[in-house]
C-alpha cells in the first residue's frame, strides 16, 4: 500500500517586483479556491530560500510556482520535473538558486520529496511594481489550471504525472 502523500504547493517570488510576484499570487489563488485537503499545504515562500526547510520536511510531492526567464514570449508556461531542474540556466530566476539549495539540503537530510514539479511563467518585467503586467495577468489562468491538474493527478490514486499542453511548454533542452 502506498504511503500517505503529503503535497505542498510552494509560491516563490517578490510581491514588490511586478511579474516576479506571479508564484506568490498563484499560490494565494489556489489556496483560496481549493477545498481544504488534509494532505495539501499551500506555502507562501516568497524569497525565503533555506528558511523554508522546516516547512518542507516530510513533503512527498512538491509543486513550486515561480516566474522563470527563459527568453520566451512573456506569459509562456514552463514546466520542469525533478530531474530537469538542474538544466535551468543559472540566473533565470532570482529564486532558483535558493530553491536548488533548499532541495539539496532536504536531499542531504534524507527528506527530499519523491516528486518535484516547477511550473512558471515567462515574465515581461521584474522591475519595481505591485501589479502583474498585462501579459502575465492574461497567462495567470494557464498557470493556475496547470497547477490544479498537477495537484489532482497527485491526489488521484494510480495516476501518473499530469502533462501540460506541449505547445505551451518551453524546455531548455528541447
Amino acid at each position: 500500500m502506498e504511503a500517505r502523500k503529503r503535497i505542498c504547493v510552494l509560491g516563490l517570488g517578490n510581491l514588490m517586483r511586478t511579474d516576479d510576484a506571479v508564484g506568490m499570487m498563484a499560490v494565494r489563488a489556489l489556496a483560496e479556491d481549493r477545498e481544504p485537503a488534509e494532505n495539501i499545504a499551500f506555502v507562501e515562500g516568497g524569497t525565503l530560500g533555506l528558511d523554508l526547510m522546516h516547512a518542507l520536511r516530510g513533503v512527498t510531492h512538491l509543486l513550486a510556482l515561480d516566474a522563470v526567464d527563459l527568453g520566451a514570449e512573456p506569459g509562456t508556461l514552463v514546466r520542469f520535473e525533478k530531474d530537469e531542474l538542474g538544466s535551468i540556466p543559472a540566473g533565470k530566476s532570482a529564486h532558483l538558486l535558493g530553491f536548488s539549495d533548499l532541495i539539496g539540503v532536504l536531499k542531504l537530510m534524507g527528506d527530499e520529496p519523491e516528486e518535484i514539479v516547477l511550473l512558471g511563467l515567462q515574465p515581461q518585467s521584474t522591475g519595481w511594481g505591485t501589479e502583474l503586467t498585462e501579459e502575465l495577468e492574461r497567462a495567470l489562468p494557464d498557470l493556475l489550471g496547470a497547477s490544479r491538474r498537477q495537484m489532482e493527478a497527485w491526489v488521484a490514486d494510480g495516476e501518473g504525472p499530469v502533462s501540460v499542453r506541449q505547445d505551451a511548454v518551453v524546455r531548455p533542452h528541447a
Side-chain angles (χ1 to χ4, degrees):
M1 177 174 229
E2 184 179 339
R4 186 167 178 85
K5 294 177 183 174
R6 288 195 55 222
I7 300 167
C8 179
V9 182
L10 174 66
L12 300 172
N14 184 334
L15 292 170
M16 303 300 290
R17 302 293 301 234
T18 56
D19 293 345
D20 190 44
V22 73
M24 293 286 287
M25 292 176 158
V27 79
R28 286 178 177 179
L30 291 167
E32 287 175 8
D33 74 3
R34 183 99 176 137
E35 292 178 18
E38 183 178 315
N39 61 337
I40 298 180
F42 297 90
V43 176
E44 293 183 10
T47 58
L48 294 176
L50 290 176
D51 291 336
L52 295 168
M53 183 179 60
H54 297 292
L56 298 184
R57 296 212 50 207
V59 167
T60 61
H61 295 70
L62 176 60
L63 175 59
L65 308 175
D66 197 6
V68 181
D69 185 359
L70 295 175
E73 287 294 316
T76 300
L77 178 66
V78 297
R79 183 180 196 279
F80 296 91
E81 294 185 28
K82 185 177 189 176
D83 296 336
E84 298 172 318
L85 292 172
S87 68
I88 301 173
K92 295 304 178 182
S93 165
H95 321 108
L96 288 181
L97 181 58
F99 181 66
S100 295
D101 289 343
L102 175 63
I103 298 304
V105 168
L106 289 171
K107 186 175 186 174
L108 285 172
M109 295 172 57
D111 212 7
E112 180 183 25
E114 297 167 27
E115 293 191 40
I116 302 171
V117 171
L118 169 66
L119 291 173
L121 294 176
Q122 169 69 44
Q124 168 70 38
S125 170
T126 55
W128 293 108
T130 57
E131 295 182 15
L132 296 177
T133 59
E134 289 181 29
E135 291 85 351
L136 261 71
E137 192 68 47
R138 283 193 301 268
L140 184 57
D142 294 337
L143 177 60
L144 295 174
S147 300
R148 288 181 189 106
R149 289 190 300 276
Q150 184 64 64
M151 288 185 291
E152 289 165 7
W154 281 340
V155 168
D157 290 335
E159 289 190 23
V162 70
S163 62
V164 178
R165 265 188 21 240
Q166 290 305 305
D167 61 345
V169 177
V170 173
R171 295 181 188 263
H173 56 278

